[in-house]
Amino acid sequence: MRAAIVLARHELRLLVSLLRWFARRPDSGGGRAFGYARGQGAVMTGFWFVCAVETFAMAVRLRTWPTAHRVVLVLGL
């Protein structure tokens, strides 16, 4: 159970970081900023594409279980 919580927290932090990057907002945790966002555009675009494909594939695979289908679709979006 602890591993699931740690993985869920990591996934949430990853998505928050992606949203902050997309909105061009720096991290408010202090520290030193590095200017590498311009070079990461293609990687982040690819990552967003893979997330969309994964959400679609899970929706197709879970179409026979409506409750699980809705939960995974909401989490994917």
Side-chain angles (χ1 to χ4, degrees):
M1 188 66 175
R2 173 147 168 76
I5 292 171
V6 170
L7 288 173
R9 185 174 20 173
H10 174 70
E11 185 75 17
L12 181 63
R13 286 181 181 172
L14 175 67
L15 291 175
V16 168
S17 294
L18 284 173
L19 291 174
R20 291 184 71 79
W21 173 83
F22 186 71
R24 304 278 189 209
R25 298 281 186 210
D27 188 17
S28 60
R32 195 168 125 192
F34 295 96
Y36 62 89
R38 184 178 309 224
Q40 290 290 325
V43 174
M44 291 297 120
T45 302
F47 184 74
W48 280 96
F49 175 75
V50 168
C51 285
V53 169
E54 178 188 28
T55 300
F56 175 75
M58 288 304 293
V60 169
R61 290 185 58 101
L62 294 174
R63 68 181 177 265
T64 57
W65 294 297
T67 304
H69 171 81
R70 285 187 195 105
V71 168
V72 170
L73 189 61
V74 167
L75 290 174
L77 295 177

